Amino acid sequence: MVGRYDGGVITEAELIAESSRLPSPLREQFERPAGQREFVRSMIDKRLLAQEARTRGLHLEQDIQKQVRELEERLIIQALLAAEEKAAGRPGEEQLRAYYTQHRDEFAQPERLRLGRVLVAFPAEATAAQRAQAKQKAERFAQRLKAGEALAKVAAEGDGTEKTQGGELGWVARADLPDRQLEDAAFGLKTVGQVSGVVAEGRGYSVVQLLERREARVPPFEEVKAEVEGRALPQFKKKAFEALIARLRSAGAVEVDIPARP
């Protein structure tokens, strides 16, 4: 027992349970003895207020009774649904495979490229001469890459953020790249190591190099089993709910008397 009042006590278990619901910063405040004493007083104050309200009969007011019934209804429905979901369990292997077969196209993986890039940027107000100079620099970078010079070395002299990552943009699919011309140039590369021509972007010129390619594919069930279960589970729960509702409606002789509008 950590507190008492005329009408009851506050136990240590109640204190722990109540304080555990506090946000983390407040919980730390009440971990100290002074904070705990203050928290126990606040718990007692709340009990005293509720006690006084009952003494005055406020708990019998119709509006409060209605809210209590509505809250109870929500809580017991939640408990019922949780019990039904637990009883239904999780979808088994056969059910997951059936879901995978029905939604196979949703698991398709598009063609993806691992790209390297060297960017030569120019300012927004660049003159024609500055743009021409940037393009020439990008063309020299392209020639060096085509000659076999290491991407990381060439990219280190460029302007893109990828210069700090050895020139790598990482894996991209169509629509991942910000510029359509850059996308067309990248996906036009056919062999690993191939280098594109110079591509005009919004504020610069780029050269891209194909480092690796993954063809479009539909992964087998075993590879995406966890993802299949994550997608199938809500549908599985929905079916359990619908079965429960159908069973209750049938047993409850449900009738709806509102006529259809003409």
Side-chain angles (χ1 to χ4, degrees):
M1 182 178 65
V2 293
R4 67 174 64 85
Y5 58 97
D6 184 12
V9 297
I10 303 291
T11 66
E12 185 176 3
E14 289 172 328
L15 171 63
I16 293 171
E18 190 77 14
S19 61
S20 68
R21 290 193 280 267
L22 292 170
S24 183
L26 285 177
R27 197 181 312 135
E28 293 172 6
Q29 175 185 341
F30 289 114
E31 285 175 355
R32 297 186 290 274
Q36 289 181 344
R37 287 193 292 272
E38 181 184 347
F39 193 69
V40 170
R41 289 192 191 97
S42 72
M43 290 178 68
I44 291 175
D45 289 344
K46 187 166 68 172
R47 301 260 180 108
L48 291 173
L49 289 168
Q51 193 171 275
E52 177 65 16
R54 288 191 180 91
T55 300
R56 298 186 186 187
L58 298 177
H59 63 298
L60 299 175
E61 290 188 358
Q62 287 188 0
D63 185 56
I64 291 177
Q65 288 288 303
K66 179 175 178 289
Q67 292 182 59
V68 168
R69 288 194 299 272
E70 289 173 349
L71 176 59
E72 181 186 39
E73 187 177 78
R74 286 198 299 272
L75 292 175
I76 61 176
I77 287 174
Q78 289 174 8
L80 172 64
L81 295 180
E84 285 292 310
E85 288 177 6
K86 184 177 180 180
R90 302 181 74 84
E93 178 94 359
E94 185 177 343
Q95 291 165 309
L96 292 178
R97 285 186 179 276
Y99 182 92
Y100 170 79
T101 301
Q102 292 169 6
H103 300 82
R104 195 169 181 273
D105 291 346
E106 296 176 14
F107 297 94
Q109 297 174 351
E111 177 186 20
R112 299 179 70 85
L113 309 178
R114 185 165 69 89
L115 292 176
R117 181 180 75 163
V118 184
L119 171 68
V120 181
F122 50 72
E125 301 81 16
T127 63
Q130 287 174 312
R131 289 172 182 264
Q133 188 177 17
K135 185 176 182 181
Q136 290 171 1
K137 186 177 180 180
E139 287 171 343
R140 289 195 295 272
F141 284 153
Q143 291 170 1
R144 289 167 60 184
L145 288 173
K146 289 176 181 178
E149 193 168 342
L151 170 66
K153 183 178 179 181
V154 179
E157 300 176 35
D159 301 314
T161 55
E162 66 277 359
K163 65 187 293 183
T164 61
Q165 301 167 10
E168 289 211 26
L169 283 177
W171 287 97
V172 299
R174 290 188 181 274
D176 286 347
L177 294 170
D179 187 274
R180 179 62 183 272
Q181 287 182 297
L182 186 64
E183 177 185 295
D184 290 343
F187 282 85
L189 300 173
K190 302 303 179 185
T191 58
V192 172
Q194 188 177 357
V195 178
S196 73
V198 173
V199 181
E201 293 192 51
R203 290 190 180 178
Y205 292 97
S206 283
V207 178
V208 288
Q209 184 175 33
L210 178 61
L211 304 177
E212 194 175 348
R213 178 191 296 277
R214 290 179 182 167
E215 300 296 339
R217 62 189 284 265
V218 178
F221 169 78
E222 290 74 17
E223 188 177 317
V224 291
K225 182 178 178 179
E227 184 181 353
V228 172
E229 184 171 7
R231 294 193 189 188
L233 192 55
Q235 191 176 101
F236 187 75
K237 290 180 178 180
K238 182 182 178 183
K239 287 183 178 179
F241 171 75
E242 290 172 346
L244 172 62
I245 288 293
R247 190 167 69 248
L248 294 176
R249 285 176 177 172
S250 177
V254 174
E255 294 183 10
V256 178
D257 297 327
I258 300 175
R261 290 185 178 181

